[in-house]
């Protein structure tokens, strides 16, 4: 692998799609974000994006996460994977037209889970891409599962797995809030943003995050944090920023000071 440790950027599905719609892509946001990625020109970058209103409603409709229970779900599994490739195509379009050497890597073709956790990952091709300073682009996907038949593999789990496997220098999580708060900012007017948290501090507020954030955001944020903790434990810093706001992804990628929450081991 090239000596430069990779940077991993997660682009949240709630940023690039309208989660209240179905198959509702925010193409202008995708373009603006990819412009920022292109401008930052990070040497070894891996991008992972979420499912938003593409993957989630379809996965829910056919109960894909719980696994294969009846044959009629197979078409739903195929459809869930397919709509993710459609969203991925939009992200890829923007990347390629902005001259980013980005290559789509389909998680369901190189990863198998066991009870929802990544068990097998054929990484030969991804390693070679990194060696050549190409930018692999992955996404949350409907994947085969050794115990369940199939399931949903979140982009967050992929981020954490890749970060640990390739010893990333940092993870940038682009979400639709400004970072982690001590209370739900949609409810508590004086909610305070944590600019910096150590792993110990994060673990101490973990329960609080779940209780106090809005239902929608909560699951997402709590799930994210739970996935990311093993990467932070390995010494990989995580920056959570609002990707819906201009220039935050750019600043986080180039290491400039930016509003958000930085989580570090100590
Ligand atoms: O949005 C889930 O990925 P996430 C992808 O990163 C699907 O949790 C297919 C629902």
């Amino acid at each position: 692998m090239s000596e430069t440790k990779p940077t991993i950027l997660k682009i949240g599905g709630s940023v690039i799609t309208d989660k209240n719609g179905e198959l509702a892509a925010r193409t202008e946001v995708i373009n603006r974000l990819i412009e920022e990625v292109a401008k930052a020109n990070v040497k070894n970058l891996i991008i992972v994006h979420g499912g938003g209103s593409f993957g989630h409603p379809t996965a829910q409709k056919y109960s894909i996460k719980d696994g294969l229970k009846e044959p009629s779900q197979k078409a739903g599994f195929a459809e869930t994977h397919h709509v993710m490739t459609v969203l991925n195509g939009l992200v890829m379009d923007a990347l390629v037209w902005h001259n980013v050497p980005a290559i789509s890597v389909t998680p369901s073709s190189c990863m198998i889970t066991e009870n929802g956790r990544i068990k097998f990952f054929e990484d030969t091709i991804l390693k070679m891409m990194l060696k050549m300073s190409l930018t692999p682009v992955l996404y949350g996907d409907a994947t085969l599962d050794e115990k369940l038949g199939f399931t949903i593999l979140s982009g967050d789990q992929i981020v954490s797995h890749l970060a640990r496997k390739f010893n990333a220098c940092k993870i940038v999580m682009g979400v639709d809030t400004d970072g982690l708060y001590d209370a739900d900012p949609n409810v508590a007017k004086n909610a305070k943003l944590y600019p910096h948290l150590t792993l110990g501090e994060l673990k101490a507020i973990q329960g609080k995050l779940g209780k106090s954030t809005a239902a929608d955001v909560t699951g997402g944020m709590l799930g994210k944090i739970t996935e990311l903790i093993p990467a932070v434990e390995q010494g990989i810093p995580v920056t959570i920023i609002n990707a819906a706001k201009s220039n935050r992804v750019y600043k986080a990628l180039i290491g400039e000071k930016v509003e958000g929450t930085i989580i570090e081991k100590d």
Side-chain angles (χ1 to χ4, degrees), residues 18-35:
D18 176 2
K19 271 199 160 178
N20 296 318
E22 232 180 273
L23 306 178
R26 292 184 168 134
T27 43
E28 277 161 34
V29 175
I30 295 175
N31 266 309
R32 193 255 309 148
L33 277 169
I34 299 312
E35 230 171 79

Side-chain angles (χ1 to χ4, degrees), residues 58-68 73-78 80 142-143 148 150-152:
T58 322
Q60 208 166 0
K61 186 168 157 195
Y62 300 101
S63 305
I64 302 303
K65 194 170 196 292
D66 299 338
L68 175 61
Q73 283 175 293
K74 288 184 188 172
F77 171 68
T80 308
T143 50
L148 303 169
F150 50 58
T151 193
I152 297 298

Side-chain angles (χ1 to χ4, degrees), residues 10-13 19 48-52 54-57 59 80-81 84 139-142 152-157 224:
K10 166 87 196 283
I11 305 178
K19 271 199 160 178
V48 180
H49 66 79
F54 282 68
H56 290 281
T80 308
H81 166 67
M84 284 310 302
Y139 46 93
D141 201 0
I152 297 298
L153 170 60
S154 76
D156 296 331
Q157 190 185 149
K224 258 179 230 315

Side-chain angles (χ1 to χ4, degrees), residues 123-189:
D123 63 358
T124 318
I125 292 171
L126 201 142
K127 271 189 191 147
M128 187 155 173
M129 287 180 186
L130 290 175
K131 204 169 167 182
M132 295 172 69
S133 292
L134 293 167
T135 300
V137 183
L138 298 90
Y139 46 93
D141 201 0
T143 50
L144 296 177
D145 187 287
E146 278 186 358
K147 289 271 155 61
L148 303 169
F150 50 58
T151 193
I152 297 298
L153 170 60
S154 76
D156 296 331
Q157 190 185 149
I158 296 176
V159 165
S160 183
H161 188 88
L162 295 178
R164 284 174 285 145
K165 182 149 200 151
F166 299 122
N167 199 19
C169 64
K170 66 176 171 187
I171 295 172
V172 175
M173 298 293 293
V175 297
D176 64 350
T177 61
D178 285 349
L180 295 186
Y181 286 87
D182 63 351
D184 180 359
N186 298 314
V187 180
K189 280 211 173 69

Side-chain angles (χ1 to χ4, degrees), residues 221-238:
M221 199 52 93
L222 195 61
K224 258 179 230 315
I225 296 307
T226 312
E227 286 296 354
L228 293 171
I229 283 176
V232 181
E233 266 164 359
Q234 201 177 293
I236 303 162
V238 174

